């Protein structure tokens, strides 16, 4: 089957049928903790691509995928799976090929396999955060006219019902949709508007493979008199990451305050409660050469070892996912600036211009015991070596220099999710950073390896209990309404 003919092929199938088959296979992916990937079933990113084709293809026939016709659906999925973006093909014989493959595949495949409970906890914290400078709780209500609690409950409850594989008859779904009608409206878009969203993120059908998915923002599609939920596995992202994007889109003041106050407070809080460090300090100001400067956002110490965190609320440029070279270069430039900033704070200024730790050994100090992490709210999956080379260029140092070796081994770029995994389970971050220097390559991702399996963060445990209680409550409601036996 020819990928470029999919827009014509999908015009032959009814919209109802396309939405039905998508929902059927999307439901197979949903589990209680994260998506359940099965190589013998359509992958989530393949279904998301299929949906974009389906929405754009205005029907003139009304065929279905039932019976033997299911083979036609499988052929379409295989066509999507086996198609290679022309840009990737153009790089296939070059050393850059792997760099672009990582960006393309990472953006679509890795996030959907993260633990839902961590993401729910994070955004519950974000959207209920209030301080003198910003109230995310108020900003959320001002933007959407609803409290986040209702949105979170809706996403968690539906995900639970789908994961439990209970007999979801129409009346159960109708009950939930009516109970949370305001939330459904927030997450619903018309078919025509969905088409516009596709065109906003994709310049052509080749971009459908990796572009930002409108279904991550609006999982419900209204067409005619019906509202469809073709990809229920997208609900988690729709009620978490995407809502922050919607609040801060074209709102630089809110995004700045969010990054400065909310994100820093969250990182400090989870690190403090990880019990991994002897001392933890929030950002401080210091004087250097009569200039007033700031330390990294969170400074941590355990014995004579130090770890500095610099938060960045930046998210990748949408065109990065479509492998637009300018966007990728801009992304490299943006992240490398953060690495340079952290290098200067740690290597040049710590112990020379400032030291706010109270009880450490002021005399027995080794700079090789200092580490730094640039924490990205959302991973861009850009090869780390490209970022470090840009750092070397900005610092005017050679990649063979001792200083460069120190930077690539001591200053890392990680996603917030990776830090959460270690903090929530009490797994040593510093040990992982040190292990990488010995056992792995300097350009590997240092916090993607296995962590302790037991959840140790008390707040996350309490939140998990709240989620479980929510499950039990909705089950009781459904039983009381005689919708569930």
């Amino acid at each position: 089957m020819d990928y470029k003919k999919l827009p014509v092929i999908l015009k032959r199938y009814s919209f109802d049928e396309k939405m039905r088959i998508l929902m059927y296979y999307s439901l197979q992916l949903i589990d209680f903790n994260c998506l359940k990937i099965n190589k013998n079933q359509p992958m989530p990113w393949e279904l998301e691509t299929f949906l974009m084709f389906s929405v754009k293809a205005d029907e003139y026939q009304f065929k279905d995928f039932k019976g033997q016709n299911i083979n036609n659906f499988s052929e379409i999925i295989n066509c999507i799976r086996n198609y290679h973006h022309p840009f990737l093909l153009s790089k296939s014989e070059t050393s850059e090929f792997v760099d672009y493959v990582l960006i393309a595949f990472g953006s679509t495949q890795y996030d959907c396999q993260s633990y839902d409970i961590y993401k729910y906890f994070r955004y519950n914290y974000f959207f209920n955060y209030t301080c003198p400078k910003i109230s995310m709780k108020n900003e959320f209500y001002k933007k959407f006219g609803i409290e986040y609690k209702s949105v979170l409950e809706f996403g968690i409850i539906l995900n639970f019902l789908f994961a439990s594989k209970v007999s979801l008859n129409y009346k159960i779904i109708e009950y939930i949709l009516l109970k949370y009608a305001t939330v459904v409206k927030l997450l619903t878009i018309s078919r025509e508007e969905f088409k516009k969203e596709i065109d906003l993120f994709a310049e052509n059908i080749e971009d459908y493979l990796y572009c930002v998915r409108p279904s991550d923002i609006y999982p419900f599609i209204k067409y005619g008199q019906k509202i469809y939920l073709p990809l229920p596995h997208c609900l988690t992202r729709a009620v978490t990451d995407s809502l922050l994007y919607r609040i801060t889109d074209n709102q630089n003041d809110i995004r700045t305050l969010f990054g400065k106050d909310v994100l820093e407070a969250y990182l400090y809080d989870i690190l403090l409660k990880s019990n991994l460090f002897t001392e933890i300090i929030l950002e401080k100001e210091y004087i250097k050469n009569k200039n007033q400067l700031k330390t990294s956002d969170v400074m941590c110490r355990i014995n004579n070892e130090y770890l500095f965190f610099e938060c960045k609320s930046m998210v990748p440029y949408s065109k990065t996912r479509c492998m637009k070279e300018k966007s990728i270069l801009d992304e490299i430039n943006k992240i490398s600036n953060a690495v340079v900033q952290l290098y200067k704070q740690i290597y040049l200024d710590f112990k020379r211009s400032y030291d706010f730790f109270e009880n450490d050994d002021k005399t027995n100090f080794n700079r090789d015991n200092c580490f730094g992490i640039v924490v990205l709210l959302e991973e861009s999956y850009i090869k780390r070596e490209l970022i470090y080379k840009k750092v070397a260029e900005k610092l005017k140092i050679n990649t063979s220099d001792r200083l460069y070796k120190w930077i690539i081994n001591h200053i890392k770029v990680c996603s917030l999710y990776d830090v959460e995994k270690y903090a929530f389970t009490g797994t040593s971050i510093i040990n992982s950073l040190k292990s990488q220097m010995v056992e792995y390559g300097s350009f590997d991702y240092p916090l993607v390896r296995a962590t302790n399996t037991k959840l140790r963060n008390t707040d996350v445990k309490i939140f998990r209990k709240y989620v479980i209680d929510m499950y039990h409550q909705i089950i009781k409601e459904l039983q009381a309404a005689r919708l569930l036996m």
Side-chain angles (χ1 to χ4, degrees):
M1 188 174 287
D2 186 347
Y3 181 88
K4 293 182 179 180
K5 290 182 179 178
L6 292 183
V8 175
I9 292 169
L10 283 166
K11 288 184 178 185
R12 301 168 188 164
Y13 296 86
S14 73
F15 192 74
D16 273 1
E17 181 61 9
K18 289 182 286 192
M19 299 302 100
R20 181 196 69 79
I21 196 73
L22 281 168
M23 186 176 191
Y24 173 81
Y25 281 104
S26 177
L27 287 172
Q28 313 308 310
L29 298 166
I30 299 177
D31 207 350
F32 291 106
N33 296 315
C34 59
L35 293 189
K36 183 173 57 178
I37 306 298
N38 184 339
K39 64 180 181 180
N40 297 319
Q41 297 279 1
M43 300 296 181
W45 46 91
E46 294 161 358
L47 295 175
E48 292 154 14
T49 302
F50 184 101
L51 175 62
M52 287 187 277
F53 276 115
S54 297
V55 169
K56 292 281 280 188
D58 294 321
E59 300 77 20
Y60 67 89
Q61 291 182 21
F62 302 96
K63 296 168 66 174
D64 61 40
F65 293 108
K66 296 174 183 176
Q68 290 296 317
N69 289 343
I70 191 63
N71 293 329
N72 297 332
F73 175 77
S74 299
E75 282 189 41
I76 294 171
I77 291 296
N78 286 332
C79 178
I80 292 170
R81 179 175 298 176
N82 297 325
Y83 184 73
H84 300 290
H85 194 288
F87 183 82
L88 281 183
L89 286 177
S90 72
K91 298 291 183 178
S92 61
E93 301 297 325
T94 73
S95 59
E96 299 172 302
F97 178 69
V98 175
D99 304 344
Y100 288 106
V101 166
L102 181 61
I103 294 171
F105 289 4
S107 301
T108 52
Q109 298 182 15
Y110 295 153
D111 179 71
C112 65
Q113 298 178 61
S114 61
Y115 285 116
D116 290 344
I117 193 71
Y118 292 177
K119 190 169 284 192
Y120 290 140
F121 175 82
R122 180 200 309 166
Y123 283 93
N124 186 60
Y125 184 106
F126 286 172
F127 293 134
N128 285 290
Y129 185 87
T130 298
C131 71
K133 291 184 179 179
I134 186 172
S135 170
M136 287 299 289
K137 189 170 185 176
N138 290 343
E139 292 295 340
F140 191 93
Y141 190 86
K142 186 164 58 176
K143 174 72 175 180
F144 301 119
I146 189 174
E147 291 187 350
Y148 184 62
K149 181 177 183 289
S150 295
V151 182
L152 182 66
E153 284 182 359
F154 174 75
I156 289 175
I157 286 169
L158 263 189
N159 198 70
F160 166 73
L161 291 172
F162 292 143
S164 63
K165 311 304 180 189
V166 297
S167 180
L168 285 177
N169 60 54
Y170 173 75
K171 289 189 176 180
I172 292 178
I173 298 294
E174 183 181 45
Y175 180 89
I176 302 297
L177 296 184
L178 287 174
K179 180 180 172 71
Y180 294 95
T182 308
V183 181
V184 174
K185 184 178 180 181
L186 169 66
L187 302 176
T188 300
I189 191 172
S190 70
R191 183 179 182 180
E192 288 307 310
E193 288 300 316
F194 197 102
K195 289 180 181 180
K196 292 177 184 178
E197 289 287 315
I198 293 172
D199 293 339
L200 183 66
F201 296 121
E203 294 180 3
N204 48 57
I205 62 173
E206 285 84 5
D207 287 348
Y208 291 4
L209 294 168
Y210 312 119
C211 72
V212 173
R213 282 46 174 117
S215 49
D216 287 346
I217 308 169
Y218 301 102
F220 292 92
I221 301 174
K222 189 175 188 301
Y223 182 55
Q225 300 303 309
K226 294 182 179 180
I227 293 180
Y228 301 86
L229 178 58
L231 299 177
H233 75 263
C234 291
L235 266 171
T236 299
R237 280 173 281 176
V239 301
T240 53
D241 313 80
S242 295
L243 291 173
L244 181 61
Y245 166 79
R246 293 170 69 177
I247 286 179
T248 57
D249 187 32
N250 295 320
Q251 298 291 330
N252 291 333
D253 289 346
I254 295 177
R255 178 162 282 280
T256 299
L257 288 171
F258 168 79
K260 186 63 191 161
D261 293 278
V262 187
L263 187 57
E264 284 184 24
Y266 176 72
L267 182 62
Y268 173 81
D269 199 44
I270 66 173
L271 290 171
L272 182 67
K273 292 170 182 174
S274 70
N275 296 317
L276 289 172
F277 304 101
T278 310
E279 282 187 85
I280 299 183
I281 305 171
L282 271 170
E283 177 189 82
K284 301 280 188 180
E285 293 184 344
Y286 65 97
I287 303 296
K288 180 181 179 181
N289 300 328
K290 298 183 180 181
N291 295 316
Q292 191 172 45
L293 304 175
K294 292 182 178 180
T295 67
S296 55
D297 297 323
V298 183
M299 300 174 282
C300 305
R301 177 184 73 83
I302 178 168
N303 300 323
N304 64 340
E305 296 177 323
Y306 308 87
L307 181 54
F308 300 82
F309 294 86
E310 183 65 31
C311 304
K312 296 300 176 184
S313 61
M314 62 180 76
V315 296
Y317 298 110
S318 61
K319 296 301 181 184
T320 300
R321 293 175 56 147
C322 298
M323 291 164 291
K324 304 302 179 187
E325 291 187 272
K326 182 183 183 306
S327 293
I328 293 172
L329 291 175
D330 288 344
E331 195 70 29
I332 291 171
N333 186 58
K334 187 169 62 173
I335 299 173
S336 64
N337 283 340
V339 172
V340 169
Q341 174 189 347
L342 196 51
Y343 151 74
K344 290 178 178 178
Q345 291 166 339
I346 300 173
Y347 195 87
L348 300 182
D349 295 352
F350 179 55
K351 293 286 188 178
R352 294 186 176 116
S353 299
Y354 74 88
D355 180 4
F356 295 101
F357 294 108
E358 294 182 357
N359 303 311
D360 65 326
D361 187 342
K362 304 293 184 182
T363 57
N364 185 24
F365 172 68
N366 185 345
R367 206 159 294 282
D368 286 341
N369 288 337
C370 294
F371 298 88
I373 296 179
V374 174
V375 182
L376 304 179
L377 178 60
E378 187 177 324
E379 178 62 75
S380 62
Y381 301 100
I382 289 176
K383 189 178 177 183
R384 297 304 189 240
E385 186 175 5
L386 301 178
I387 295 170
Y388 288 123
K389 283 183 176 178
K390 178 58 70 172
V391 169
E393 180 184 316
K394 290 178 177 179
L395 293 176
K396 297 184 167 82
I397 59 175
N398 196 289
T399 54
S400 61
D401 289 353
R402 182 188 62 81
L403 178 57
Y404 180 76
K405 301 297 184 186
W406 187 92
I407 291 172
I408 64 176
N409 283 310
H410 290 262
I411 300 182
K412 299 297 178 179
V413 179
C414 299
S415 70
L416 178 58
Y417 176 71
D418 285 340
V419 177
E420 286 171 334
K421 286 190 303 180
Y422 278 71
F424 292 159
T425 59
T427 305
S428 174
I429 298 173
I430 287 181
N431 284 348
S432 182
L433 297 177
K434 290 193 295 186
S435 294
Q436 189 197 31
M437 288 193 292
V438 178
E439 301 172 22
Y440 306 96
S442 300
F443 305 123
D444 283 358
Y445 291 72
L447 301 184
V448 295
R449 282 173 285 282
T451 62
N452 296 331
T453 56
K454 187 175 181 180
L455 187 62
R456 298 183 184 277
N457 183 292
T458 302
D459 290 344
V460 182
K461 288 180 180 179
I462 293 171
F463 179 77
R464 185 174 61 181
K465 184 180 182 305
Y466 159 72
V467 168
I468 293 169
D469 290 345
M470 194 192 307
Y471 295 160
H472 292 158
Q473 178 59 37
I474 195 65
I475 292 299
K476 288 179 181 178
E477 283 186 36
L478 292 172
Q479 289 171 338
R482 297 191 175 184
L483 296 172
L484 193 64
M485 301 303 291

